[in-house]
Every structure is written in C-alpha cells, then in structure tokens.
Amino acid sequence: MLRKLLKHEFVATGRVMWVIYVAMLGFAVVANLAFRAMDLTTLPQAIRALFMLVLLGWGLSIFAGSAAVVVLLVRRFHKNLLTDEGYLMFTLPCSVHHLTAAKLIAAAVWLAVSVVVVLLDVSIAVMGEEFGLSLQEVFGFVFFGNMTALQAINGVAIILEVIVLMLVGCAASCLQFYSAMAIGHGFTNHKVLWSVIFYFIEQFVLQLLGGLSIALLVNFGENVTNVPLWIMNITAAQAWHAGILLVLLIEVIIGTVLYVLTAVNLKKRLNLA
Amino acid sequence: MTPILECRDLCKRYGSVQALDHVNLSLAPGRIVGLLGPNGSGKTTLIKMANGLLPWERGDLLIDGMVPGAATKSIVSYLPERTYLSDWMTAGQTLDFFQDFYPDFRRERAEEMLLRLNVPLNLKIRQMSKGTREKVQLILVMSRRAKLYLLDEPIGGVDPATRDYILSTIISNYDPGATVLISTHLIADVEQVLDDVVFISQGQIVLQKSVDEIREEQGKSVDQLFREVFRC
C-alpha cells in the first residue's frame, strides 16, 4: 500500500516540482551568460546595469525556488490530508502510518533533490574556464591523486553519511510542519492559527534543548581534567564520522518524536469538519 | 449472521454538545437503509465514525465484526457530503486512483457510466461543474463491489433530475448482497428505494423499522411518519 501511496504522491507533487526545477536551471543558464557578458570591458553602463539586475534576479530565484518547494510540500500535506481531500485519503484501506510515511518520504526526496538542484544551479551559473579547471583538479585528485585506499573509503563513507544526514534532516524538518498541522487541526476552530502556534512552540522547545545541550557540552569540556587517551588519539576522519553520526542520531530522535506526534494526532484527534 | 454495521451504546461529544447519545443500532446485510433525521441530528457523525474518520468516547462500533480500520475500509464504500477529489486530476486519473487502492473497483463499469454522462476521461475535475463532480464521485463510489455503502446526503443540494440520476445509479449498481446506508432529510425522494429506515434525533435512535412495517402497521408513508415524529 505504501508503494501505491508513494506512486500517487510523486505524481501529485512532481507535476509542480519539475516546473520549479526547470525554471531555476533555466535562470542559471541566463545568469551564466550575464556573468560572461559582465567580463566584457566594452560593455555600456546601461547594459551592465541590466545584467546586474539579471544576476540579482538569479540570486532571488534560488531563494524563491527553494521556498516554493517547501511551501508546496507543506501545502500538499495540509490539502491532501486535512481538508476535503482527507475524506478520500483517510478512507483508503491503509494505515495512518502509511499515509504519513508516504508524504514524508516524498517530501524528503524532493527536498534532497532541491539541494542538488541548487548546487547544480550555482554550478551552471558560474561555469566557465576557471570552474572547469577547478573541477578537473578536484576529479584529478580524487581519481588519480596520491590518495590511500583508507582515505578514499573514508571519503566515500563521509559523503554517504552526509547524504543520509541530509535526507533525515529534510524528513525531520518536514515532520515539524506536519506535527504542528496535525495538532492544530485537531481543534474545532482556528485550525491554521493553532498549527502556526504549535510550530513555534516546537521550534522554541528544539532551540531550548539545543542551546542547553551545547551549554552542557561546553561546561563539560571546560571542567574535564582527565581526557581519555583514545579521544586524544582519534584521527580527523574518525572525528568526522563521529560528528556526523552524532548529529544524525539527534536528528533521528527529533524526527521520531515529531513522527509519533503527527501519527497519534492524525489517528486520535482527526477532525476534518 | 454478523451485522454489517453494529453500534452498541455509542457516544460522541463535540465539546458540550452530545452528538451521539447511547446509540444502539444493527444493520443486516443486503438492505437499503435510510438514516433519516433533521439537520444536526448526528447522521454525518455516525457515518464518519463508521468510516474511521472520527474517534468516539464510549461504546462500540463494528463493521462486519471489526473495529473501523484499514481492513474495514476495504469493504466500505463512502460518499461524503463534500467533493473529495483533487481538482488537478482528470476523470481518468481518478479511475486509476480507485483501481490502485480498491481491488473491488470495477473500472469498466465506471468508464461506461462516465461515457453515458458525457464526461471525457481527460476532463479535469476543476473543469467540471459542481453537479458533474458529485456525479463522478458517486460513479466512483458505486463502481466498487463493496459490502457496505455509506452515502452521506447524496441527494442534498441537487436538482430533481440529478436526484433521479443519483438514485437510479445507486439502485442499478450496488451489489445485491451489500447494505446501502443513505443519510438524508429529503425523505420523499428516497422513500421509494428504501427497505428499512432509522430515525435519528438529537443523537438518539428513535425508530428502526422496515418500510413495509410502517406502511402496514401505521398505514402511513415514511415521509408522513417522519413529519409526525419530527414536528417542530
């Protein structure tokens, strides 16, 4: 059932997402041409100003495109589950977990794709002779450089860990919106207002816990006298792995709590009226 | 025989309002039942609860012996009083959707009915009139071979010709072994198709009888009895 829900979720969201991505990448091509034109010394001031505006528009398009993706994903959850469309979705022969998971997986994938599109967008815009040479250097070092097998394995592992972290982080961010909406829409009146209030309450709690954790760590670091020898001897790669996995663990814990909040509220306090 | 829908001492509150008050109800398979009551009597609440869309505080509600959940949703075909189809979808895409999720969906029958209604498969929901959307939704719901059809106000707010279309679609498409529960306050229009009636008032079941019993014992039509029971 989850597979079917995912199929329909990607169809429903994909028809809008591709338009945004193509528009962003199209703007990047225009920005690239503007960058190249700006290098011409003989360019009249008026035309130069016009190209500056184009570049400004390109910068804004990255923010607007990214924001549009987030807004669309949040709106999709709201419209498809918490308004009239919810009468169909919640009477499908599947569990609340499947409904939530389908929305979450699709949203996390689209957010991750958006990150890739933004990277691609910037790369296209600044692509030129120098950028090509820089890429050549990077790839030359990665594939033909004087790198040990251990370094290569660590590099690949760190990249994979970052990708997983990115996906989990995207899912946790989505769940903060979802849980706030699920709680807010359990009320009889002012559902949207309650959703916004609960989003900020969650945000406040997360910031508070994050701040307290950092303060405790700093305090511990300042007061610790006997640092174990194994900590002093860890390599840079091990420190990277430990750091990424720690952040990943925190994101998983936050995501789990928010997921439970979402699922329980959709199951026990659903109020489509 | 297990009742297809059974309520035992069922209670539901909205804040200080008692929406359902110790409801006891049992529906046998293979009947067309009218859930009749004035606005705000608890009809929609009961149907939503049977669909697993609302939790309740007290009592039991069973569909074919099961608590509403994923298993009961595969045997219940529900028509809410609102349009629940995504407006960006085409009529054909809504058929794909139903076909994917409901193994009992009869696509050929749905396509045939859409064709008779002159609704092309590539027409988007947002391009349809409100009446056409309601008809498409009814076609989807009645194209399933469900055990229980829960139709919430299917003829409310539509013109008499559309009412006839809706009722004939229900009658000619439901599975004879299935139960159809039609909630409405427009008694005269549905009376002709009903086997049994359930009168509900202020969240309480005040009468459950067959239409024949009402006619034979009281010499009245359901519409006449309804007007007597719910006289203001």
Side-chain angles (χ1 to χ4, degrees), chain A residues 1 4-5 7-8 11-13 15 76 79-80 84-95 267-273, chain B residues 14 48 51-55 70 73-74 76 78 80 82-89 93 96-98 100-103 126 144:
Chain A
M1 204 49 80
K4 289 174 184 171
L5 284 169
K7 181 186 120 186
H8 286 282
V11 169
T13 46
R15 72 201 166 87
R76 167 77 185 159
K79 192 163 187 278
N80 196 232
D84 287 353
E85 289 179 23
Y87 283 88
L88 176 60
M89 299 308 291
F90 282 104
T91 48
L92 292 176
C94 55
S95 65
K267 205 170 182 180
K268 306 277 183 198
R269 294 181 66 241
L270 183 66
N271 184 2
L272 292 174
Chain B
Y14 293 115
K48 277 187 179 179
N51 277 294
L53 291 172
L54 271 180
K73 288 170 187 176
S74 64
V76 174
Y78 170 49
R82 294 152 187 262
T83 309
Y84 60 28
L85 300 172
S86 303
D87 60 1
W88 59 268
M89 280 180 152
Q93 283 174 315
D96 295 339
F97 190 90
F98 268 64
D100 265 357
F101 288 102
Y102 300 112
R126 72 163 70 102
R144 286 184 58 198

Side-chain angles (χ1 to χ4, degrees), chain B residues 39-102:
Chain B
N39 292 329
S41 55
K43 304 187 294 289
T44 298
T45 299
L46 180 59
I47 287 181
K48 277 187 179 179
M49 285 159 74
N51 277 294
L53 291 172
L54 271 180
W56 57 89
E57 289 92 37
R58 198 179 148 178
D60 298 307
L61 193 158
L62 301 173
I63 305 289
D64 205 19
M66 298 175 279
V67 173
T72 65
K73 288 170 187 176
S74 64
I75 58 167
V76 174
S77 194
Y78 170 49
L79 181 78
E81 53 184 340
R82 294 152 187 262
T83 309
Y84 60 28
L85 300 172
S86 303
D87 60 1
W88 59 268
M89 280 180 152
T90 63
Q93 283 174 315
T94 63
L95 299 190
D96 295 339
F97 190 90
F98 268 64
Q99 195 173 17
D100 265 357
F101 288 102
Y102 300 112

Side-chain angles (χ1 to χ4, degrees), chain B residues 17 59 82 90 122 127 149 151 157 162 191 199 212 218 228:
Chain B
V17 179
R82 294 152 187 262
T90 63
N122 60 357
Q127 293 171 313
Y149 297 86
L151 313 177
T162 307
E191 185 170 350
F199 283 6
D212 290 340
Q218 308 197 18
E228 270 183 32

Side-chain angles (χ1 to χ4, degrees), chain A residues 84-127:
Chain A
D84 287 353
E85 289 179 23
Y87 283 88
L88 176 60
M89 299 308 291
F90 282 104
T91 48
L92 292 176
C94 55
S95 65
V96 165
H97 292 292
H98 280 161
L99 290 172
T100 314
K103 292 275 178 290
L104 188 60
I105 293 168
V109 168
W110 285 122
L111 287 176
V113 170
S114 301
V115 172
V116 175
V117 168
V118 168
L119 291 175
L120 202 60
D121 187 307
V122 175
S123 304
I124 290 172
V126 300
M127 195 173 280

